[in-house]
Amino acid sequence: MKKICTVIVPLKDNHQRTINLLNYSIFDDFQYIFADGSLGNENQKLFDDVKAYNIQYFRFACDDSIEKFYKKMFESAQLVETKYVLNVDQGDFILRDGVLQACNLMEVNNKLSSAAGPSFFARFILGYMTRPYLSNQTIEISDKTLQEALQVVKNNYTYIWYVVHKTEVFLEIWEDILKYKFPHPFMEYYPLIKSLSKGKHGFVDFPLMIRIVYGPSSWTKHSPDFMADVKGNTADQLLHNFAKICQDENGINKDYVYQSFLENYNKIVFPLENSANYGLEKIGLKKLVLISTKIRLSRHSLRVIAHFSKLIFPANSSDRFFSMLTWRKVSSQIGRLTRISSN
């Protein structure tokens, strides 16, 4: 039976996450492309024993730069033979009915370039998943033109990333991201611009996926060029440059793009005294990523350390609780090692 949708899963080490996905998120309805940019061979060994007819595994160069990651995603998109495509992180779980409903909605409405249902976050701690809670929702930008959607984004930031796309639109998204080598956060902004320049976004009531937040020891480390290189007064110019590219590629007024993303952009690239931006207001996301890459600590570990060093504040009570649990475990291990070394 011909498949309606391909699920692209980019891999980078963390093979235990891949095992979870293979065990709980493979459905006969979909084709799967696993795009492996790992440093080690653990993921590749998993697929030596996978014989499912709807699973394809491809080994790419190690994702040690955003350009290599973007190239992997673009080349993976070129391999898709189905009408629709969805990308999902290797530790996340797609929900079959939600994906099928999104595809079916696009089948009956050819003016849609993408569709999605509610997505959820859950934490994965000590082998257990916490109760899922609603994450980024796209209902507010559904059935809107690009300009109308950008007005929504200006007031309530929303992104199109983990959604079902028409394959040709998905391919164009990654072609442009690779062409311009957008760093974060521009690479997160751009799919909304490109997708809604090609059609509207549809929304269904069926949950699409559960996105998993893992503990610090298994957090994927980003390359040093992951974040935009913000220095002094260059931050504003970088956003203007991005807006100009959006205008040139997609015909949307650059000033409208600039104003729509400005508030979210400032939260990410500028250290703020008070912000709910995952507790990065004083240390800054770019600095955190660079530190974690240099000393091989996960970003979440640095969040925890920074929080308990009075540098940053957790976004909400659940983050505070999780950080305390993690810190107690880390502190206990540090104390144990100190006692051993002093004997």
Side-chain angles (χ1 to χ4, degrees), residues 285-320:
L285 181 56
K286 178 178 173 57
K287 184 176 181 181
L288 199 60
V289 170
L290 289 175
I291 293 173
S292 66
T293 302
K294 184 175 181 179
I295 65 176
R296 302 185 66 81
L297 280 178
S298 74
R299 289 179 294 140
H300 190 276
S301 293
L302 286 223
R303 287 195 187 106
V304 174
I305 293 170
H307 165 56
F308 284 92
S309 299
K310 308 302 181 184
L311 290 176
I312 59 176
F313 307 92
N316 53 48
S317 58
S318 65
D319 278 350
R320 181 185 295 274

Side-chain angles (χ1 to χ4, degrees), residues 36-37 74 98-99 114 117 144 187 226 263:
D36 189 1
F74 175 60
V99 177
S114 65
K144 287 181 170 57
M187 48 89 84
F226 172 72
E263 181 178 350

Side-chain angles (χ1 to χ4, degrees), residues 95-278:
L95 303 175
R96 173 183 175 273
D97 290 349
V99 177
L100 288 176
Q101 288 293 329
C103 293
N104 291 338
L105 179 63
M106 297 174 73
E107 284 285 278
V108 299
N109 186 349
N110 60 13
K111 294 183 179 180
L112 299 180
S113 58
S114 65
S119 290
F120 294 83
F121 271 129
R123 298 191 184 280
F124 199 81
I125 309 172
L126 301 177
Y128 294 95
M129 184 187 296
T130 62
R131 178 181 296 177
Y133 56 95
L134 281 172
S135 63
N136 175 68
Q137 302 304 310
T138 58
I139 187 171
E140 296 299 328
I141 61 172
S142 64
D143 199 32
K144 287 181 170 57
T145 65
L146 174 54
Q147 185 165 326
E148 291 169 341
L150 284 175
Q151 184 61 46
V152 172
V153 169
K154 181 178 180 180
N155 299 320
N156 182 24
Y157 176 63
T158 304
Y159 59 91
I160 290 181
W161 190 268
Y162 303 98
V163 305
V164 178
H165 267 110
K166 284 183 176 178
T167 298
E168 62 268 24
V169 175
F170 186 82
L171 185 60
E172 287 189 47
I173 289 171
W174 282 105
E175 182 178 23
D176 286 354
I177 289 177
L178 175 60
K179 176 181 177 181
Y180 293 104
K181 300 178 182 59
F182 293 129
H184 187 77
F186 305 122
M187 48 89 84
E188 183 176 286
Y189 297 161
Y190 192 73
L192 183 143
I193 300 292
K194 173 61 74 175
S195 183
L196 294 185
S197 74
K198 299 295 182 179
K200 293 185 177 181
H201 177 71
F203 193 83
V204 297
D205 292 330
F206 290 78
L208 189 79
M209 70 174 64
I210 300 176
R211 302 201 55 227
I212 304 299
V213 180
Y214 285 81
S217 63
S218 62
W219 197 291
T220 300
K221 301 174 183 65
H222 290 295
S223 59
D225 57 354
F226 172 72
M227 280 296 294
D229 189 13
V230 178
K231 296 178 181 177
N233 296 324
T234 63
D236 193 59
Q237 188 57 50
L238 289 175
L239 183 57
H240 276 295
N241 293 345
F242 172 75
K244 178 64 164 57
I245 291 172
C246 290
Q247 176 176 282
D248 294 343
E249 292 285 352
N250 306 286
I252 182 70
N253 185 279
K254 62 181 181 181
D255 294 330
Y256 209 81
V257 174
Y258 174 85
Q259 292 297 330
S260 297
F261 288 113
L262 182 59
E263 181 178 350
N264 177 266
Y265 180 69
N266 284 338
K267 286 181 179 179
I268 291 175
V269 301
F270 291 121
L272 301 177
E273 290 299 320
N274 295 288
S275 169
N277 186 34
Y278 258 89

